Amino acid sequence: MNQWVRTAAEEMLSLLRKKFGADTRDITAVKQYWHNLNALLFSRLNYGRLYGGKPFCAAALERYGLIPRELAQFEAENRDIWEDSPLFSQAGREGAGDRIAELREQLLCVELSIRPDRVELRPGKAERDNTGSYYTPMELAKQIVRYALSAGQVPIRRGGGLKIADLSCGGGEFFRSAQEVLWEEYQIPPSESCGYFWGVDLDPIALQTSICQLLVHAPEERWPEIISHFRLGNPLLESGQENTAAVKSGLFALGRLYAPEMGIRPGWFPEDGFDLVLGNPPWEKIRLEERKFFLNLCPDIAGIPQKAERAAAIQELRASWPEAHAWYQALSSDYSNMCSAKFRHSLLKHSVSGELNTYALFTELSHRLTGAGGISSLIVKSTLATTPAHRRLWTSLMDCQAVYSLHLFENTGHIFPIDSRERFAVLTLTHRPNHSFHLAAGLRRPEQLLSAAGIPLTAEAVTTINPLSRMIPNVTDTERISVLLTAHRDLPLFETAYPRCRFGRLVHLTAHASQIDKTPAPGNIPIYEGKFIERYDARFSTFAAVPEEKKYAGKSSARKNEGPLGEKPLPESRYFVRRELWDRFAAQYSRPFSLCWRSLTSPTNARTTLAMILPTCPTCQSIQMLQTEDDTELLMLLGLFNSLPFDYFVRLKMPGLDLTQSVIRQIPVPDPAAYERGMVFHGREAAIKTHILSCIYALLRPEALLRPLLDRVRYLVYALPGKSPAELEELLDGLFAAAYGMDGAAFRKIQAEFPACQKKKSKQK
């Protein structure tokens, strides 16, 4: 953290403590005072940018609408404090230049921890996440501007004028980048381009910073025109009667980003639309994260993982801390309207589906606000094009041929200061028909946006790969799209090859909480969890001897069951479902055995698909399952799921961390007839199916739970004595590769995609 930021936070905390002492129950007042301190500090920095070393004059900023009257009054009422404070008295005198937005971003990582009798600082990112304040690196912003300008149809020339918008403009990185590009490549000076920009943001401090960086390039007589292009508020909300900056600033101070009063008046944007819409909108699901909300308020409530128990604790706040309860209720009310059933916006239709998501809504809004020849180019999460949750929006964009290009980035080089496993995309849309769009994947550096080779992809090709969802596969390089296209043209989908499979998820720990216990009793049954399953192993881990605090933590820890499969005890469960609820499920899934796999997994794990057959029993949402009438088919499917070729296709097509039935249904699989082909294997000639069943039988024979199932197929198999589990799994991988029709070179390429797995097998031999 920047030393200036640390010093600023500590001094503002000192001022806050002087104001409220040991009575900080009035959260609204505390949060508003903290916001005013921040707003005044950055107003002084921005004033220094505009007026050089002149003494700070709040009235000058108020006159242009850069601060509300209430903040100017706050400054006047506390002038003695500012004069005694080195932080405030010196702010703006030397100027912070382009660093002001960076300082604001860093200061958002310092959060207030409020208790009824004290207030403290703690590092965190809850508020930063809510506002989406992860500002765009300048190099990436400049590359996007260059790309968008080169892809557009708008003539760019001096004196011609452009209308460029950012609907979540933050500190103005895209505006600053556009000014630099327009000067470097089109010789349009900042003194002219400063009037090209329109912006919206719900953070009044960031918005002021964004405006001021434009004003420094313009004569003061042009300031009102430039400022009129900007609005404080939430562009995802429409309001017939737009509220004042003071009202919106107060709501922002309280984190009420989705309060109806934060809305923007419809029709404020230019009637003929923008030439260019750029931006990096927030990447958040619109939901009130209760545990995150209470972390800096009531840590005990934040530590309760069960929703019902947490709700009871929140209700107790009504008496013990009514101000905190009232604040929570206000936010809950705001978020309750931000759902598909209630949300209304005149320009948004296809993105209003399921759980609302900010970057999906911003994508549709940005596209709708561009003119006939305009273009929008946004940084969004890759999941907008890869996850079925966004199917309605993505397919609508493909169907109207609006997609110009999709550049898929990996964050392994930390373009953004977030998890290196995060993936994001630059999505470029136009209103002119694009019969195919440019796709490039696996990008890791900003300059690759302009230089990386890609492939043209049509909507028909996407439908060939994912006919059910019509989403882009979650590939890490462009070449793998071609691999998938070939596979899907040559092989059937799982859904086609196995139409009689019945998929399901059974017990949900939250939805069925009233029917779930934490202790065994005569009237309940243990619940199997995903942690218990590994490949060909239903006894991988257990909650036996795990302390209660770890067993029921938000991210619980199970203990690995050591030893060979036949010697390990059954997993000890931590949850138990009432028998009457289970009996209702059991009536729907009547087969004695089910193929189960871990739902929560990742394409970056050593293996992605972890499956095992279980006697049909209660399983929670961390397990997905299927049943089929044919026992032999069930065993063959177990081998298929755990095979390298199948896992490879799952990795290419899995959109997130949840291996759902939708993904499974769209995986290319061998034609069932291929299993009947004869081949010589270990000196024995038989059908591929016979070889596969023999290996699976040898693997599962130690598992007592499956003996009734295995006994029914004994006549179909032959003995494979002396083979270790690792050797049997390797043999199965080769057999399924043969069923897929892969030659040796193709199979070796797939093996290379699983280096950790191959290394583990080598050690086990």
Side-chain angles (χ1 to χ4, degrees):
M1 182 186 295
N2 181 287
Q3 181 59 42
W4 182 90
V5 172
R6 183 178 289 107
T7 301
E10 290 172 353
E11 181 160 343
M12 286 191 291
L13 176 65
S14 176
L15 295 174
L16 188 69
R17 285 172 170 170
K18 287 180 182 178
K19 171 70 175 178
F20 292 95
D23 184 6
T24 50
R25 301 178 65 87
D26 189 347
I27 293 175
T28 299
V30 171
K31 296 283 286 185
Q32 184 65 64
Y33 194 84
W34 176 257
H35 170 74
N36 284 346
L37 291 174
N38 277 267
L40 186 57
L41 176 60
F42 279 90
S43 294
R44 286 173 173 254
L45 292 173
N46 280 314
Y47 186 90
R49 174 188 280 185
L50 295 177
Y51 294 102
K54 292 183 179 180
F56 179 72
C57 176
L61 297 181
E62 181 194 348
R63 181 169 66 251
Y64 287 111
L66 292 171
I67 62 172
R69 179 182 305 168
E70 289 78 0
L71 185 62
Q73 292 174 344
F74 176 81
E75 194 274 339
E77 292 166 0
N78 296 277
R79 192 157 292 157
D80 56 332
I81 295 177
W82 320 135
E83 291 172 354
D84 293 339
S85 164
L87 174 69
F88 284 89
S89 62
Q90 296 175 15
R93 290 192 177 180
E94 297 178 0
D98 293 340
R99 294 177 54 245
I100 296 179
E102 174 192 336
L103 297 174
R104 171 59 175 165
E105 183 183 16
Q106 289 193 32
L107 198 49
L108 284 170
C109 295
V110 181
E111 298 181 348
L112 287 185
S113 177
I114 305 172
R115 303 293 185 274
D117 59 349
R118 67 188 186 281
V119 60
E120 298 170 345
L121 297 177
R122 65 177 297 276
K125 62 187 188 73
E127 293 185 24
R128 189 182 182 193
D129 285 346
N130 287 339
T131 58
S133 300
Y134 289 87
Y135 297 156
T136 310
M138 279 292 291
E139 182 55 33
L140 178 59
K142 286 185 72 172
Q143 296 292 347
I144 292 173
V145 171
R146 287 193 180 98
Y147 182 82
L149 289 174
S150 66
Q153 294 181 316
V154 179
I156 304 169
R157 60 183 184 276
R158 286 205 62 176
L162 287 171
K163 295 191 290 294
I164 302 174
D166 184 344
L167 305 180
S168 55
C169 63
E173 294 79 12
F174 278 97
F175 298 152
R176 191 159 71 248
S177 298
Q179 285 192 299
E180 291 181 8
V181 172
L182 288 169
W183 170 243
E184 293 166 1
E185 299 190 9
Y186 302 95
Q187 290 71 58
I188 299 175
S191 59
E192 179 181 331
S193 65
C194 60
Y196 289 2
F197 302 103
W198 275 254
V200 184
D201 206 275
L202 41 70
D203 179 348
I205 299 172
L207 189 72
Q208 181 195 86
T209 299
S210 190
I211 296 170
C212 288
Q213 76 172 16
L214 298 174
L215 299 185
V216 296
H217 298 294
E220 193 163 348
E221 59 265 23
R222 289 195 64 193
W223 286 11
E225 170 209 342
I226 294 169
I227 294 170
S228 71
H229 292 175
F230 289 80
R231 280 292 184 276
L232 174 64
N234 190 333
L236 302 180
L237 305 176
E238 290 184 324
S239 176
Q241 183 65 43
E242 194 162 336
N243 281 285
T244 64
V247 170
K248 293 181 179 180
S249 295
L251 291 167
F252 175 83
L254 295 174
R256 294 189 58 190
L257 312 180
Y258 295 99
E261 296 87 349
M262 289 291 283
I264 302 292
R265 177 174 55 83
W268 170 70
F269 304 104
E271 288 186 10
D272 55 348
F274 294 108
D275 300 313
L276 194 61
V277 178
L278 305 166
N280 177 20
W283 299 352
E284 303 300 322
K285 291 180 179 178
I286 302 180
R287 63 162 76 131
L288 177 57
E289 300 275 5
E290 288 183 344
R291 299 181 68 186
K292 187 183 291 187
F293 171 79
F294 282 107
L295 188 62
N296 291 326
L297 199 64
C298 304
D300 291 344
I301 294 178
I304 302 174
Q306 290 76 27
K307 186 173 181 62
E309 295 179 19
R310 193 166 61 247
I314 293 172
Q315 186 61 25
E316 291 175 4
L317 278 179
R318 186 186 293 271
S320 62
W321 194 358
E323 295 89 347
H325 187 268
W327 183 29
Y328 166 77
Q329 288 292 100
L331 262 76
S332 296
S333 176
D334 296 342
Y335 279 95
S336 69
N337 293 316
M338 298 302 295
C339 64
S340 296
K342 297 180 181 179
F343 181 78
R344 297 291 182 273
H345 193 291
S346 62
L347 298 179
L348 299 177
K349 177 182 178 183
H350 300 293
S351 56
V352 183
S353 178
E355 187 173 30
L356 298 185
N357 196 299
T358 49
Y359 59 84
L361 295 167
F362 271 99
T363 296
E364 184 174 14
L365 182 61
S366 298
H367 181 55
R368 292 290 302 274
L369 289 175
T370 55
I375 189 166
S376 64
S377 197
L378 303 181
I379 303 172
V380 298
K381 288 193 74 170
S382 301
T383 50
L384 187 139
T386 62
T387 303
H390 300 303
R391 176 184 177 183
R392 189 178 174 197
L393 173 61
W394 174 251
T395 56
S396 74
L397 294 172
M398 283 201 304
D399 288 342
C400 69
Q401 299 184 325
V403 183
Y404 178 82
S405 63
L406 180 68
H407 293 82
L408 299 172
F409 280 83
E410 313 283 320
N411 197 43
T412 51
H414 287 285
I415 295 175
F416 287 100
I418 54 177
D419 195 325
S420 63
R421 296 168 297 179
E422 188 68 79
R423 294 177 177 180
F424 63 92
V426 176
L427 174 63
T428 304
L429 304 172
T430 70
H431 287 287
R432 64 180 184 273
N434 301 291
H435 300 294
S436 65
F437 60 91
H438 180 82
L439 175 70
L443 310 186
R444 290 172 172 79
R445 302 185 308 278
E447 62 269 21
Q448 289 180 295
L449 183 69
L450 291 167
S451 63
I455 60 170
L457 201 63
T458 63
E460 290 75 20
V462 175
T463 304
T464 298
I465 295 173
N466 279 329
L468 300 182
S469 66
R470 300 183 66 207
M471 306 302 290
I472 299 293
N474 199 21
V475 294
T476 54
D477 66 61
T478 310
E479 181 184 353
R480 294 178 185 180
I481 291 288
S482 301
V483 172
L484 282 172
L485 278 170
T486 300
H488 280 275
R489 286 166 180 157
D490 295 343
L491 297 165
L493 295 180
F494 184 95
E495 181 176 64
T496 304
Y498 301 99
R500 295 182 302 277
C501 284
R502 185 172 185 201
F503 292 87
R505 274 188 178 181
L506 300 181
V507 180
H508 195 285
L509 297 179
T510 300
H512 303 128
S514 62
Q515 298 289 312
I516 294 174
D517 305 316
K518 290 184 178 179
T519 55
N524 62 30
I525 309 170
I527 298 175
Y528 235 78
E529 297 191 43
K531 291 178 171 63
F532 300 161
I533 294 177
E534 248 288 346
R535 298 168 59 253
Y536 300 109
D537 186 355
R539 305 169 187 250
F540 178 70
S541 66
T542 180
F543 282 109
V546 174
E548 294 288 300
E549 64 273 13
K550 291 186 177 181
K551 186 185 295 187
Y552 298 106
K555 292 185 177 180
S556 60
S557 300
R559 180 177 61 82
K560 186 177 179 181
N561 248 342
E562 301 291 348
L565 181 60
E567 300 175 12
K568 294 192 286 189
L570 283 171
E572 182 178 302
S573 299
R574 57 177 179 155
Y575 294 113
F576 304 81
V577 64
R578 309 280 172 80
R579 184 172 292 276
E580 57 267 25
L581 178 62
W582 171 243
D583 287 343
R584 294 204 298 271
F585 284 124
Q588 302 173 52
Y589 297 93
S590 57
R591 297 297 299 169
F593 292 95
S594 304
L595 174 58
C596 300
W597 67 92
R598 283 199 208 182
S599 180
L600 186 62
T601 182
S602 171
T604 60
N605 290 348
R607 289 296 291 266
T608 302
T609 312
L610 308 173
M612 182 53 172
I613 293 174
L614 291 175
T616 300
C617 64
T619 57
C620 69
Q621 67 264 30
S622 59
I623 288 179
Q624 298 236 2
M625 50 82 71
L626 66 79
Q627 290 189 346
T628 180
E629 297 292 324
D630 188 326
D631 292 335
T632 303
E633 186 175 77
L634 191 67
L635 289 164
M636 291 291 291
L637 289 177
L638 174 65
L640 176 65
F641 275 46
N642 285 325
S643 70
L644 274 179
F646 185 88
D647 206 330
Y648 173 71
F649 287 120
V650 167
R651 284 176 180 243
L652 295 187
K653 300 189 68 174
M654 187 172 161
L657 300 178
D658 197 6
L659 181 50
T660 63
Q661 60 174 278
S662 174
V663 177
I664 297 294
R665 290 176 188 273
Q666 298 179 98
I667 299 297
V669 298
D671 189 313
Y675 295 125
E676 305 301 333
R677 291 201 308 263
M679 69 176 292
V680 177
F681 181 73
H682 273 255
R684 182 186 294 265
E685 184 172 357
I688 294 177
K689 180 177 181 179
T690 301
H691 296 309
I692 289 174
L693 286 172
S694 298
C695 291
I696 292 174
Y697 184 90
L699 267 173
L700 299 182
R701 188 171 51 187
E703 178 52 83
L705 292 173
L706 301 186
R707 281 174 190 160
L709 175 64
L710 296 175
D711 286 345
R712 292 198 283 273
V713 299
R714 289 183 64 180
Y715 70 96
L716 297 174
V717 306
Y718 57 82
L720 283 165
K723 296 294 182 185
S724 70
E727 290 172 320
L728 290 168
E729 290 182 34
E730 189 171 356
L731 293 175
L732 282 166
D733 289 339
L735 288 166
F736 279 102
Y740 268 104
M742 296 176 179
D743 60 23
F747 183 46
R748 284 191 293 274
K749 279 187 177 181
I750 288 178
Q751 288 177 309
E753 298 288 332
F754 298 84
C757 180
Q758 299 307 307
K759 184 177 179 180
K760 180 180 178 182
K761 281 185 179 180
S762 299
K763 288 183 178 180
Q764 290 174 336
K765 288 182 180 179

